Every structure is written in C-alpha cells, then in structure tokens.
C-alpha cells in the first residue's frame, strides 16, 4: 500500500506545481516500498538521492515563480525549504556512512513534512501566483 496519495485538497491552484507534488509523492512512495521490501543499501541510496534531487528542483521552481511574481511571503517559504534540504542532506550523509538505516520514522517524517508544507505553506501562494498569471 502507498504511504501517501495525492488528493484534490492538496491542489495549490498551479498546475505545474500540482504535477511536481504528485511526482514527489510518487518518489516518496517508491522509497517507502523499497524500504518495506527490504531492498539493499545501494537501491535505497539511489532512490533517496532521486527524491532529494527532485525536491531541490521543485523548491527552486517554486522560488523562481515567487521571484518573478514578487510573492511577499517568499522569505519565510524559502526558509522552510532550506530547513528541509538541510535535514534530508543530514539523513543522506548518515545513511551513506551506515550510521542509520531507513525506517518508517524517516519516511513518515518526510510524509508529514510534505503534507504539512503543501497544505499549510504552498497552498498560500496559489491565489497570489494566479493573480500574477501563474496557473
Ligand atoms: Fe514550497
Ligand atoms: Fe511545493
């Protein structure tokens, strides 16, 4: 069973970012499934890297849209992005050094973060970006 499913309530009102959020959820589910199936470190490591890289790309795309539209809450929003990037980089570093294994704690943390961020922080930019021509 999937860890997380995209729901219409996750829509931020910008098609491109809904698509990216769906892909992030897919990657998180892939990581979760790989972990539950007991896949090896190499497979888990590459899936984790893919999730981290796509997360960074997604954050950059949102931040570019904020800059173009002059979104007033971009500073706080970026800080949330940066805090997560730091946390996942730390997880990856410790995983690579065999200090931690991936567990439900990790994937649940990522699920909670993503859900709270989309519903709380991302959803706020929808109306503003729409007013500035981003749909
Ligand atoms: Fe965001
Ligand atoms: Fe987002």
């Amino acid at each position: 069973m999937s860890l997380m499913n995209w729901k219409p309530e996750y829509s931020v009102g910008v098609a491109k970012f809904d698509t990216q959020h769906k892909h992030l959820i897919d990657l998180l589910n892939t990581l979760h499934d790989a972990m539950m199936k007991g896949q090896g470190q190499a497979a888990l490591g590459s899936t984790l890297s893919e999730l981290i890289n796509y997360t960074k790309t997604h954050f950059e795309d949102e931040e570019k849209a904020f800059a173009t539209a002059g979104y007033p809450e971009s500073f706080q929003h970026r800080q949330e992005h940066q805090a997560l990037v730091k946390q996942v980089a730390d997880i990856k570093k410790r995983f690579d050094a065999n200090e931690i294994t991936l567990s439900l704690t990790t994937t649940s943390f990522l699920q909670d973060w993503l859900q709270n961020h989309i519903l709380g922080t991302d959803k706020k930019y929808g109306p503003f970006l729409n007013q500035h021509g981003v749909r």
Side-chain angles (χ1 to χ4, degrees), residues 19-110:
T19 303
Q20 292 188 350
H21 289 150
K22 286 174 188 168
H23 189 59
L24 275 175
I25 290 170
D26 283 347
L27 289 173
L28 178 58
N29 284 329
T30 302
L31 181 68
H32 180 76
D33 289 348
M35 184 196 79
M36 295 305 271
K37 283 184 202 147
Q39 283 192 6
Q41 291 284 107
L44 286 179
S46 72
T47 307
L48 182 59
S49 292
E50 203 184 334
L51 176 61
I52 292 172
N53 291 334
Y54 191 76
T55 300
K56 288 184 190 163
T57 303
H58 168 64
F59 288 172
E60 282 165 18
D61 282 353
E62 282 187 345
E63 290 166 16
K64 272 183 220 155
F66 300 162
T68 308
Y71 181 50
E73 289 183 53
S74 78
F75 182 77
Q76 285 149 294
H77 198 131
R78 270 183 78 117
Q79 282 187 318
E80 280 191 36
H81 287 172
Q82 282 166 1
L84 183 79
V85 167
K86 246 179 142 176
Q87 276 176 295
V88 291
D90 185 57
I91 290 170
K92 181 70 168 65
K93 207 173 113 192
R94 292 168 64 199
F95 175 84
D96 287 343
N98 290 315
E99 290 170 15
I100 55 160
T101 52
L102 287 189
S103 66
L104 209 52
T105 313
T106 320
T107 52
S108 297
F109 158 73
L110 293 171

